[in-house]
Amino acid sequence: MSIRHGLLALLERGPRYGSQLRTEFESRTGSTWPLNVGQVYTTLNRLERDGMVAQGGEDDAGHTLYAITDSGRTELRTWFEKPVDRTSPARDELAIKLAMAVGAPGVDIRAVIQSQRRHTVKAMQDYTRLKAQALLAVEGGGARERDDVAWLLVLEQLIFQTEAEARWLDHCESRLIRLSATAATGAPASAPAAPAAPAAPAAPAPPAAAPNGPTAPSTSIAPGTSIP
Amino acid sequence: MSTQQPVLQLQNLTRVHGAGATEVHALRGIDLAVYPGELVAVMGPSGSGKSTLLTIAGGLDTPSSGRVIVEDTDITTASVKELAALRRRSIGYVFQDYNLIPALTAAENVALPRELDGTSARKARVEAVAALEEMGLGHLADRFPDEMSGGQQQRVAIARALVGDRRLVLADEPTGALDSETGESVLALLRTRCDAGAAGVLVTHEPRFAAWADRVVFLRDGAIVDQTVRSEADSLLSGQVAEA
Ligand SMILES: Nc1ncnc2c1ncn2[C@@H]1O[C@H](COP(=O)(O)OP(=O)(O)OP(=O)(O)O)[C@@H](O)[C@H]1O
Ligand SMILES: [Mg+2]
């Protein structure tokens, strides 16, 4: 994720100071990728070194203001025009984990898949709840509407991304079942066609509390996820 | 709140289809309680028992053993009359194949359960048109099912399940024939109904739609193997690492 280009995009709307950039960046992306002020200033320094921003005096409160330069504008334009590179995919821990789990002794790959599925679907539930709030904010209109729309788009991206992962997990599981069924066709017809059902990692307990705040069964996985 | 009574309780539910060599154990010991205000999604591979669970919960099929309690009524022991009244009044059901009556218009289809329940024809029509408008179908109120697209018929079926004051809404793949955006608005509506106090059970293959639920239950070979509960809003997105 490019903080550099994010800052240039914000500066194109007029000169700003460091902590202001941080606030605006976060309200656009809903603190999904929190920035600290240090990161903002380091990035501004690099942009200044590369001639893409210039210090442009102070505001009334004495904050140093930064402004985008022509070469910064050119860089920003190119960024919007060029697709984000997908041909050298980032390392994905889950893909690596499943690849390693195939045939690993003592590893129940279906249990690995189910434990991930639970975690991924839960993350989707959380994002969806935030999305419902963001939708309300967008429909309510108001001064912050542009930020709300931006935040909604980011949330939906997270939802689609986790959805793709959940679907891929379903696919992996059915593929494994089919493959083990194929492997078993040489054997007598009574041979088990599929691996044993995964052990339920958490016994499904009835909800301890009722509506709106079901507190029941907490999983062993910490809330919140890192962005894949 | 924890003292609240579930709207729906399934207790040690089993359902066996057929007998002998062709015996199918569609459900094996399901326990599930759904509280007022709660939306529960049921996910699982094809044939895992999702529709069976839902039809039994709605009193449209009977379990081989176990109990189904809707509010105060055990529908496995209720009289036919009691059950029929409960189904008309308290339970809204969206079928996997929408099940509209071909000889009735959209508005008449939606109004039917209310009329059967004694609501005046005029009032039932007003309610039906309002429910159709909520689904974005006000302009199709007087069309017959075969004059509508699959997605439109599906939304009529959803309007029928939601009309009136249903305490329990059961929906089997209600987003099947809908595009992503329309499916979303159906889920948002179901969510609103539950937030207003109804209990909902949604069967879906789509994780993105299941994610609107408070709880997602995973069914496999007729048994609940896992479930997940959403977090409280304030704990969301915490613990995420910044990426440079
Ligand atoms: N009337 C019936 N007679 C015999 N077997 C049946 C009957 N109805 C369902 N079954 C079997 O019971 C099992 C569960 O079926 P069910 O319709 O509940 O699955 P499902 O999870 O809804 O699947 P799908 O996602 O394909 O709709 C399946 O193995 C199915 O073949
Ligand atoms: Mg089904």
Side-chain angles (χ1 to χ4, degrees):
Chain A
M1 194 234 351
S2 181
I3 298 176
R4 202 176 152 82
H5 294 107
L7 296 189
L8 284 176
L10 293 172
L11 286 173
E12 203 188 22
R13 292 195 266 144
R16 277 150 169 76
Y17 55 89
S19 61
Q20 189 181 11
L21 284 167
R22 171 177 173 242
T23 311
E24 291 186 10
F25 186 91
E26 293 199 350
S27 52
R28 279 270 160 150
T29 55
S31 318
T32 309
W33 300 282
L35 281 186
N36 58 48
V37 165
Q39 279 172 304
V40 173
Y41 280 107
T42 312
T43 311
L44 282 173
N45 288 341
R46 289 200 194 119
L47 285 168
E48 193 178 7
R49 179 197 65 199
D50 298 341
M52 295 187 189
V53 306
Q55 293 193 23
E58 295 183 348
D59 71 359
D60 297 342
H63 296 112
T64 305
L65 292 172
Y66 290 82
I68 191 168
T69 64
D70 282 343
S71 116
R73 277 196 188 88
T74 310
E75 172 74 14
L76 182 61
R77 199 74 33 235
T78 314
W79 184 59
F80 278 127
E81 282 162 9
K82 251 179 55 185
V84 172
D85 184 27
R86 295 291 189 220
T87 55
S88 41
R91 260 198 303 279
D92 184 281
E93 185 180 345
L94 179 57
I96 295 171
K97 190 189 279 191
L98 285 195
M100 295 302 164
V102 175
V107 176
D108 178 352
I109 191 165
R110 290 184 72 192
V112 173
I113 290 174
Q114 178 55 28
S115 129
Q116 184 66 45
R117 176 163 33 224
R118 175 177 3 104
H119 183 73
T120 302
V121 169
K122 179 175 159 47
M124 286 184 74
Q125 285 174 271
D126 294 345
Y127 296 148
T128 302
R129 190 172 189 193
L130 290 174
K131 175 185 161 160
Q133 292 166 2
L135 271 173
L136 279 181
V138 168
E139 276 156 19
R144 285 185 14 96
E145 190 177 356
R146 192 160 52 181
D147 283 349
D148 290 332
V149 171
W151 170 219
L152 182 62
L153 295 184
V154 169
L155 275 172
E156 286 181 325
Q157 195 264 355
L158 293 172
I159 292 168
F160 276 97
Q161 206 170 307
T162 39
E163 179 185 36
E165 186 168 293
R167 283 173 178 279
W168 175 65
L169 289 167
D170 288 349
H171 178 81
C172 289
E173 183 167 354
S174 12
R175 176 167 309 277
L176 288 169
I177 291 173
R178 193 161 314 140
L179 287 176
S180 65
T182 318
T185 44
S190 60
N212 311 327
T215 54
S218 66
T219 64
S220 56
I221 299 162
T225 53
S226 53
I227 307 305
Chain B
M1 277 208 295
S2 51
T3 57
Q4 235 170 340
Q5 194 199 341
V7 178
L8 172 68
Q9 277 177 277
L10 307 179
Q11 295 174 351
N12 202 12
L13 212 60
T14 69
R15 178 68 168 102
V16 184
H17 290 294
T22 60
E23 203 172 83
V24 179
H25 290 261
L27 296 179
R28 320 166 180 257
I30 299 284
D31 285 300
L32 183 70
V34 187
Y35 290 82
E38 201 183 17
L39 178 60
V40 173
V42 178
M43 299 192 79
S46 187
S48 56
K50 305 182 297 294
S51 294
T52 307
L53 187 154
L54 216 62
T55 46
I56 292 178
L60 302 163
D61 183 17
T62 39
S64 305
S65 68
R67 303 213 302 158
V68 181
I69 300 162
V70 176
E71 305 221 90
D72 293 319
T73 311
D74 181 346
I75 66 176
T76 51
T77 56
S79 70
V80 174
K81 217 174 133 190
E82 274 180 308
L83 181 58
L86 196 69
R87 285 221 308 257
R88 277 199 314 269
R89 224 172 270 149
S90 305
I91 306 175
Y93 202 105
V94 185
F95 296 87
Q96 199 163 1
D97 47 11
Y98 348 115
N99 248 357
L100 296 177
I101 299 171
L104 301 183
T105 65
E108 287 163 354
N109 262 287
V110 177
L112 185 63
R114 302 290 289 152
E115 283 190 63
L116 289 176
D117 212 38
T119 306
S120 76
R122 158 129 17 90
K123 183 154 183 282
R125 158 111 198 156
V126 171
E127 283 177 358
V129 171
L132 286 169
E133 271 162 6
E134 236 180 332
M135 291 275 93
L137 292 179
H139 60 296
L140 299 182
D142 297 318
R143 291 252 195 112
F144 290 93
D146 67 0
E147 300 166 343
M148 292 183 281
S149 75
Q152 289 164 344
Q153 291 179 51
Q154 188 149 24
R155 277 180 284 161
V156 172
I158 293 159
R160 182 182 57 186
L162 294 178
V163 75
D165 180 28
R166 307 305 175 88
R167 300 280 299 141
L168 178 62
V169 178
L170 304 170
D172 197 347
E173 297 280 0
T175 52
L178 305 180
D179 61 46
S180 170
E181 177 92 43
T182 315
E184 189 107 298
S185 60
V186 166
L187 260 301
L189 191 66
L190 203 56
R191 180 74 258 173
T192 310
R193 282 306 169 98
C194 292
D195 288 341
V201 183
L202 161 76
V203 165
T204 182
H205 276 110
E206 302 265 356
R208 193 154 32 87
F209 295 136
W212 285 82
D214 301 293
R215 235 183 335 147
V216 180
V217 165
F218 297 95
L219 215 59
R220 178 91 24 90
D221 300 329
I224 294 177
V225 293
D226 204 356
Q227 61 177 320
T228 160
V229 176
R230 70 179 188 183
S231 316
E232 288 312 296
D234 8 358
S235 70
L236 300 186
L237 291 171
S238 59
Q240 292 204 338
V241 285
E243 194 189 334

